[in-house]
Amino acid sequence: MFVKNCKPALVIAVVLVLTIGLGLCQAAEKLSPNEQKAKAKAIFTKLSQTPQEDLDVFYKGYHEIIEQCPDTEYAEISCWRLSNLLILGYEPARTKEAVTLLEHFLKTYPNSQGVPQVKERLVRLYEETGQYCKAADLYAEVVPSIPVPPSDQGLATWVLYADALKECGRKDEAKLWYEKVIKHAKDPNSFSVQVAKDMLNELKK
């Protein structure tokens, strides 16, 4: 009898929950481009007046822009600044969160002018956290743009790519890139060449 009497109340409760949930979803509808820009600008103004040591205020502000104003340039800037905060502001660094954030940036803003900087930072974080296969995949997107013969910086990137391949277990590919470093280096006595030779000798053991 008790269970039977509770059923109508249970149905009403479920209906109320669904109704409230629908109302919340409608309230959380995406802002228009102008609304996004206005909101993001207001948050930036607030943050410009916030003491630098109030890390959590910056964290929440940047997150709010990224989530609610994604179609603005402010969101791209917020991703970069938040990654700075996560890596440099907190002790210990919130590296895993920074990786997720930068991966979100590349997925959401593939044509952004900030992509090269984001890739450079992300590949370093992959290396720092031992995610060498992801690092190798990201280097594979970068190395085709390096001219041949490469500059010293480009040559160093080739070495890092080969290192990532080696650590990922793709040793045959790593050998090819170390050999490429030696072949195309402008200075046969450069540091990158010496590293490449040492790594080749190590791989032959």
Side-chain angles (χ1 to χ4, degrees):
M1 179 67 70
F2 180 78
V3 175
K4 288 182 179 179
N5 289 338
C6 282
K7 283 184 178 180
L10 180 61
V11 172
I12 293 173
V14 171
V15 171
L16 285 173
V17 169
L18 291 175
T19 302
I20 292 172
L22 180 59
L24 289 174
C25 289
Q26 291 174 340
E29 286 182 357
K30 188 175 180 180
L31 300 175
S32 70
N34 287 337
E35 289 172 330
Q36 289 187 39
K37 185 175 181 179
K39 181 164 188 172
K41 188 175 182 179
I43 294 174
F44 260 52
T45 299
K46 176 184 176 182
L47 293 180
S48 69
Q49 301 166 356
T50 301
Q52 292 184 352
E53 61 271 18
D54 291 344
L55 301 184
D56 289 343
V57 175
F58 285 97
Y59 179 89
K60 291 177 182 177
Y62 291 140
H63 250 298
E64 188 172 358
I65 292 172
I66 292 167
E67 293 173 356
Q68 299 185 25
C69 314
D71 300 326
T72 67
E73 186 179 359
Y74 292 101
E76 297 182 37
I77 297 171
S78 293
C79 282
W80 182 254
R81 291 186 180 179
L82 183 54
S83 74
N84 285 336
L85 181 64
L86 294 168
I87 297 168
L88 303 174
Y90 290 98
E91 182 61 41
R94 296 163 66 169
T95 306
K96 185 176 180 180
E97 194 173 344
V99 166
T100 300
L101 175 66
L102 295 176
E103 288 176 337
H104 162 79
F105 181 99
L106 293 179
K107 182 178 180 180
T108 308
Y109 310 109
N111 299 316
S112 169
Q113 293 181 349
V115 165
Q117 288 177 293
V118 170
K119 284 185 176 180
E120 182 178 351
R121 172 168 290 180
L122 182 56
V123 78
R124 296 289 182 270
L125 294 179
Y126 282 151
E127 291 168 334
E128 289 176 14
T129 54
Q131 300 182 71
Y132 291 105
C133 291
K134 283 190 173 183
D137 289 342
L138 197 52
Y139 274 124
E141 297 178 16
V142 175
V143 292
S145 64
I146 298 176
V148 180
S151 63
D152 291 343
Q153 183 177 355
L155 202 67
T157 300
W158 283 6
V159 171
L160 292 171
Y161 180 34
D163 289 345
L165 289 168
K166 177 174 71 70
E167 294 298 330
C168 182
R170 297 159 61 181
K171 295 183 179 180
D172 289 341
E173 292 176 75
K175 288 179 183 178
L176 292 175
W177 279 95
Y178 287 132
E179 290 169 352
K180 191 171 182 178
V181 168
I182 297 169
K183 179 180 179 180
H184 293 288
K186 297 176 183 177
D187 179 4
N189 297 314
S190 69
F191 179 73
S192 292
V193 170
Q194 297 308 312
V195 170
K197 288 181 177 178
D198 289 343
M199 291 299 99
L200 278 175
N201 289 332
E202 182 179 317
L203 289 171
K204 291 176 182 177
K205 293 180 181 178

